[in-house]
Amino acid sequence: MKALITGAGGQLGRALLACAPTGVKVIACDSAALDIGDADAVAAKVAQTTPDIIINAAAYTAVDKAEEDEARAFAVNRDGVANLAATGVRLVHISTDFVFDGSASSPYPVDAPTTPLGIYGASKLAGEKAAGDDALIVRTAWVYASEGGNFVHTMLRLMKERGAVGVVADQIGTPTWATSLAGAIWQLVGKAARGVYHYTDSGVASWYDFAVAIAQDATELELLDAMPEVSPLTTADFLTKAQRPSYSVLDKTKTNALIGPAPHWRVNLRKMLEEVYANG
C-alpha cells in the first residue's frame, strides 16, 4: 500500500511516519511540500504519487487565533479536506473533540450532536462533512509528543523557569500521546474502517491533573530539578479568545471493539517523558 501523509511535519505526522507498518510506502508532505488548501497542488501531487490512501494530518490548530483568522481556518480545515476528497483516493481525516460544546456529563458517542463553540471547532466539523461518507474520520483530543509545541513542553518550560504554574482544573478530557494515536490510525486503516471513530488514550483528566502528572514524572526523571508547585485555576481565571468545551471526554466503545482499548494516559505520558529524557 502507498500512503500519502499530509501535515507530515507536525507531531502526529511525524508519529505516523515513525510507526508506519511494514509494507506501507509512505509519501510524506509537510505544509511546505503541499498546501492542502490549494486544489491544483493537491490534484497534481496525487496524480504524481498515485497513493492508495491519504491520511490527512494537516490542520489549522491555533484555537484562539482562529477567532480572528476564520478564513484561513476554514481554508485549511474545510476546503483543504474537500480538495483531498475530490481526488477520489481513500481518505483518513483527523478531527477533534472541539466539535462538541462540552455540555455533556458522560463521554460523547460518535453520533452525539455536534455543536462547536468556536471557529476552530466549526472549521473542523465542516472538514468532517467535506471528507465524504466513505472517509475514515478519527476524532481525538489533547495530543502531545516528545517533539513540537504542545502542553507538555509548555509546562516543562514554565516549571523550569518559574518553579510554579497555575493550570485550569475545570476543563475535563483525555491526554493523548501522538505515538498512541498514530498506531491506532494505522490499525483502523488495516481494518478498512470507514465512518466516524473516537480515539484517545484511556482515562480522564483535567488540565490541572495533566500538569500535576507532568510535574511528578518529570521530577522523578530529573527533567526538573525540584517538584514545582501546581495550582488549580478556573476557566474564569484564565480567559482566552476562544471558548473551550468544559467536558470533552470521547466515548471509544466503537473503536475499542475493533482494535482494543488504548493504554492509560499516565502510562503514555511516562513513555513520552522517558523519550525526552533519553534525547537529552
Side-chain angles (χ1 to χ4, degrees), residues 48-199:
Q48 174 194 2
T49 58
T50 63
D52 300 300
I53 190 168
I54 299 171
I55 303 178
N56 181 35
Y60 183 107
T61 58
V63 176
D64 291 315
K65 188 177 179 182
E67 295 299 307
E68 300 174 345
D69 195 13
E70 180 176 355
R72 182 58 183 164
F74 274 88
V76 177
N77 294 343
R78 178 196 60 198
D79 302 342
V81 181
N83 293 337
L84 296 171
T87 66
V89 177
R90 181 184 172 197
L91 178 62
V92 180
H93 177 58
I94 314 306
S95 193
T96 173
D97 57 328
F98 274 63
V99 300
F100 300 115
D101 65 8
S103 62
S105 56
S106 59
Y108 282 96
V110 294
D111 58 354
T114 48
T115 50
L117 297 173
I119 298 301
Y120 169 68
S123 67
K124 291 296 288 183
L125 179 59
E128 290 187 8
K129 296 175 181 177
D133 294 337
D134 289 334
L136 166 61
I137 294 168
V138 182
R139 293 184 184 136
T140 190
W142 297 23
V143 179
Y144 65 92
S146 59
E147 297 179 341
N150 55 64
F151 182 79
V152 178
H153 284 293
T154 298
M155 285 296 103
L156 289 174
R157 176 177 57 80
L158 293 176
M159 289 169 180
K160 288 177 183 178
E161 292 174 356
R162 302 176 184 177
V165 293
V167 184
V168 171
D170 57 357
Q171 294 175 17
I172 309 299
T174 308
T176 305
W177 188 27
T179 298
S180 177
L181 173 59
I185 291 168
W186 283 120
Q187 288 184 72
L188 290 168
V189 166
K191 297 286 187 178
R194 282 175 169 77
V196 179
Y197 285 77
H198 287 170
Y199 185 88

